[in-house]
Amino acid sequence: MRILVALNGSPSSIHMVREAAQLARNTWADVTLLGITPVDSSPPNHNGGEPPKGFRQVMEGFLHDFLEMVNDSESPYPQSLTEYKWKDADKGAWDLDCQQPAPGKKQLTLRMRAGNAAKIILGHAQVLESDIIVIGCGKGVGCTWDGSLEVPRTIVNNASCSVFAVKEEKQPRMVVCCLDNDNVSQASLELVNQLVTIYHAELGLVGVTGAEGLKEEVDRKMGQLLDYYAGSDIRAWVQLVEASSLESFIAQAAQKDLVALWMGKQSFLDKIFFRQRLGKLIETAQSSVLILR
Amino acid sequence: MINALVAIDLDLGSSLAIRYAESISDLIDMTVQSVHVVVPDKSGPEPGMGWVRKTWETAMKNTDREDIERFLELENAVRPRFFKPKILLGDRQEELLHELQAGDYDLFIEGALPTFNPADFNALVNSRLYKLMPCPAAMIVKNLVTPQKAALLLDDDIDYSPLVSSFLSVLNKPVMDLDVYYCRFGKGSDVEVVSQAPDSPLFAKAVDKLKEAGWEPKACREITGSPKEISEALREYSLAASALKHSSNKKNPMAETLGRVLSSVLLCWG
């Protein structure tokens, strides 16, 4: 798995780095920490391969914290910051890479960029073929990037991979996964599995019903998922929700639970949660939201 | 010996019902008969009378029998008795009612996945099948949870004595932990749980009756809140048991609470 962690350089993003580190530790994923600073805030003397000092300190701190979180004898990641070195890079782009990654180790790199955050994040997700983008959402209601709602909204709406919008300091009691089709990838199953483990949460499998009830293939898939998670000793609850009530169900669930939406190509979740509504969901949710693609 | 009838179709709810029935039959002395009702396709013409109709009915039943037997095989049901389902043809509710009457069953079991809309559960328990059900109790299996801990729910509208009798007619020995709740339904914003039994001779009598049968409740509590909040507070239980009246067709808070819990429900008729 490849995880892209989008960071805006705010020290409060540390909770996100910790969440991503927990996820990485459980999945042995390749991880890119992507810090983005607005062009205007870059000091004029940032040339010569050196990123803006304050921003660099925060981001190196994040990398350090990440390494601390995953540091154990079986860690697939480098042991300390001393193994890293800045790479010569173009103006507005700085890369901190592990110099000599040991065989079998996973990649953990730091990228720092200046410019349009949404564009940079989506571009990196595509180039790095990320499976999931982790993006911070602050506390409680609202989901902003440097005070703006636009960046998280754009990411959630336009990313072709999964997106995990992380709310700060919120321990969900349940991971509630909604599905309306049987197009569920093994990677997303494993991701949900790990989130349930990390949060010590229960799992809710919610089948979305249409005018003719639950589709046969969704009924079958829910049975398979139930068996899959039972095999992993995860307590899973099934529930059905009519498509017409889905928004209010999710609005309620998102107050206490982590909501995960399987947005397949054949999914009418994609139609129900068209752009504005998906953006609204991550803004109004009290807990984190996971969009599985 | 409890005589149970499990209704099965080709869906997840039935899969859960089969597995739950198997778990329960590990705990109590229970025989299980599975039944599947073939509902004729209303859009097609039905043959009239005589051997033509007989042949048509046999063909319909045989087709579904094969599907149900394949389904049971896939479920890996280990009890051979589950592999001999009765196949009936006709209106589902009427056929099940006939079978319940003819077989003198103590317990009816079926799977019904919980829904977000409590009206769905209300419609189920107010259906003709449940209204006229001749057996003392029905188990509605909503989820796959190991039966380890049950909550027996009482409130002012319930006649405790027949409830406890029905409960004991199915769970005739203490096979799991049991807590007894007295529910006060209101519209308050927060649920309140008092860890002591209400000061009620009827409540005490119900608990005494349970104790006489060997059930020693781990806790007797009073719980106040809306059906939604109370059902949330009961998440730790794998079974919620309570009574509903056959005659009542109005929405009542206990039915709503039972409709909202995610665990399986044991309905005893009061």
Side-chain angles (χ1 to χ4, degrees):
Chain A
M1 181 159 27
R2 284 179 286 269
I3 302 176
L4 178 65
V5 188
L7 301 156
N8 63 1
S10 155
S12 66
S13 299
I14 186 62
H15 77 279
M16 240 179 72
V17 175
R18 291 187 180 136
E19 299 247 5
Q22 281 191 339
L23 190 58
R25 188 171 54 190
N26 286 28
T27 55
W28 285 36
D30 289 316
V31 179
T32 302
L33 302 181
L34 176 63
I36 301 147
T37 184
V39 176
D40 291 345
S41 71
S42 302
N45 61 343
H46 72 266
N47 54 0
E50 286 291 315
K53 198 178 171 190
F55 183 51
R56 171 183 166 167
Q57 277 174 348
V58 173
M59 294 305 298
E60 281 183 341
F62 286 157
L63 180 58
H64 177 262
D65 284 334
F66 190 105
L67 290 169
E68 290 269 292
M69 285 283 295
V70 296
N71 187 14
D72 63 48
S73 57
E74 290 179 1
S75 171
Y77 301 103
Q79 294 298 307
S80 77
L81 267 178
T82 55
E83 297 179 42
Y84 283 85
K85 195 173 176 187
W86 288 104
K87 261 173 56 177
D88 289 339
D90 297 332
K91 182 182 173 185
W94 309 277
D95 296 349
L96 185 58
D97 287 335
C98 184
Q99 285 308 284
Q100 290 172 321
K105 291 277 182 185
K106 291 290 172 184
Q107 281 186 15
L108 172 61
T109 54
L110 175 61
R111 301 271 178 272
M112 292 165 60
R113 300 290 182 268
N116 180 306
K119 207 171 161 185
I120 291 170
I121 295 165
L122 291 171
H124 273 72
Q126 199 168 10
V127 171
L128 297 169
E129 295 180 350
S130 304
D131 295 295
I132 184 164
I133 299 170
V134 181
I135 186 164
C137 258
K139 271 184 190 170
V141 175
C143 183
T144 61
W145 177 283
D146 289 339
S148 154
L149 295 167
E150 203 46 46
V151 175
R153 205 184 280 167
T154 308
I155 302 300
V156 164
N157 286 332
N158 298 318
S160 53
C161 62
S162 299
V163 179
F164 186 26
V166 181
K167 294 272 173 170
E168 196 174 341
E169 294 169 8
K170 188 77 182 180
Q171 182 81 14
R173 63 176 186 169
M174 193 184 244
V175 176
V176 176
C177 302
C178 302
L179 74 157
D180 70 345
N181 67 89
D182 61 348
N183 189 15
V184 173
S185 69
Q186 185 61 34
S188 64
L189 287 183
E190 189 53 28
L191 189 58
V192 169
N193 194 340
Q194 294 309 330
L195 288 173
V196 168
T197 306
I198 288 167
Y199 292 124
H200 305 290
E202 293 186 335
L203 174 66
L205 293 171
V206 177
V208 184
T209 61
E212 292 176 5
L214 190 65
K215 285 193 245 171
E216 259 184 60
E217 62 267 30
V218 181
D219 183 281
R220 248 195 324 271
K221 179 52 76 177
M222 286 178 74
Q224 289 167 5
L225 294 178
L226 210 52
D227 288 340
Y228 172 83
Y229 289 117
S232 308
D233 279 336
I234 289 172
R235 190 179 190 180
W237 299 96
V238 292
Q239 195 172 6
L240 303 181
V241 178
E242 281 176 34
S244 56
S245 306
L246 190 62
E247 263 194 282
S248 54
F249 169 79
I250 287 176
Q252 275 187 33
Q255 300 308 305
K256 290 178 181 169
D257 303 327
L258 189 161
V259 173
L261 301 173
W262 260 297
M263 310 282 269
K265 273 182 185 167
Q266 310 147 2
S267 164
F268 59 73
L269 278 173
D270 217 15
K271 290 172 194 147
I272 294 168
F273 280 95
F274 59 87
R275 293 180 175 214
Q276 289 87 336
R277 286 183 179 175
L278 209 48
K280 191 87 182 158
L281 172 64
I282 60 162
E283 283 161 40
T284 55
Q286 293 276 356
S287 297
S288 304
V289 176
L290 176 62
I291 310 298
L292 293 161
R293 292 192 171 106
Chain B
M1 172 80 80
I2 305 299
N3 188 18
L5 182 70
V6 185
I8 49 176
D9 291 304
L10 299 167
D11 57 20
L12 177 58
S14 299
S15 162
L16 301 182
I18 290 165
R19 295 190 224 182
Y20 201 84
E22 285 203 320
S23 303
I24 289 285
S25 66
D26 284 341
L27 303 174
I28 58 175
D29 200 8
M30 184 166 93
T31 61
V32 179
Q33 173 64 58
S34 56
V35 63
H36 170 68
V37 181
V38 184
V39 181
D41 184 1
K42 281 180 184 160
S43 59
E46 285 182 29
M49 305 283 285
W51 68 269
V52 177
R53 183 173 182 92
K54 198 91 183 156
T55 309
W56 172 77
E57 284 183 1
T58 307
M60 293 273 290
K61 284 183 182 178
N62 285 344
T63 308
D64 272 43
R65 186 187 301 280
E66 282 172 19
D67 290 343
I68 288 288
E69 285 179 353
R70 208 174 303 128
F71 177 73
L72 286 166
E73 271 174 37
L74 287 172
E75 284 306 314
N76 293 319
V78 289
R79 311 294 193 284
R81 56 183 174 261
F82 283 171
F83 286 99
K84 299 283 178 208
K86 281 191 178 179
I87 307 289
L88 308 173
L89 179 72
D91 177 83
R92 187 177 185 272
Q93 297 202 36
E94 293 305 323
E95 292 302 319
L96 289 175
L97 274 173
H98 285 151
E99 180 58 27
L100 284 167
Q101 276 152 0
D104 197 22
Y105 295 96
D106 305 299
L107 176 66
F108 173 69
I109 304 174
E110 75 170 334
L113 302 185
T115 66
F116 179 55
N117 184 357
D120 295 333
F121 184 82
N122 210 45
L124 176 72
V125 297
N126 282 302
S127 65
R128 185 170 158 77
L129 171 62
Y130 280 75
K131 286 270 185 198
L132 301 177
M133 195 171 281
C135 58
M139 182 87 77
I140 300 172
V141 182
K142 297 182 176 187
N143 261 291
L144 190 60
V145 192
T146 311
Q148 285 175 329
K149 198 171 180 184
L152 181 64
L153 309 179
L154 311 174
D155 75 353
D156 281 340
D157 283 345
I158 293 171
D159 192 347
Y160 298 170
S161 182
L163 163 60
V164 175
S165 296
S166 294
F167 178 84
L168 292 174
S169 74
V170 177
L171 298 170
N172 50 16
K173 58 181 180 179
V175 291
M176 57 186 102
D177 290 344
L178 176 70
D179 293 343
V180 185
Y181 283 88
Y182 173 73
C183 303
R184 280 186 198 280
F185 294 107
K187 288 182 179 174
S189 56
D190 290 317
V191 68
E192 188 188 345
V193 182
V194 179
S195 294
Q196 67 181 60
D199 185 17
S200 151
L202 287 174
F203 188 94
K205 206 173 156 188
V207 173
D208 285 346
K209 200 169 170 183
L210 287 165
K211 285 181 179 173
E212 279 168 27
W215 286 88
E216 188 70 43
K218 296 274 177 200
C220 292
R221 299 179 178 131
E222 198 173 313
I223 186 166
T224 306
S226 66
K228 183 169 181 282
E229 290 152 358
I230 290 178
S231 63
E232 286 278 318
L234 297 173
R235 289 171 78 98
E236 63 178 298
Y237 296 95
S238 46
L239 181 68
S242 192
L244 291 178
K245 286 189 170 66
H246 275 309
S247 55
S248 165
N249 58 4
K250 64 175 186 189
K251 207 171 118 181
N252 75 53
M254 183 58 83
E256 188 181 339
T257 304
L258 296 174
R260 286 182 180 276
V261 293
L262 294 177
S263 60
S264 295
V265 166
L266 179 64
L267 272 187
C268 303
W269 304 114

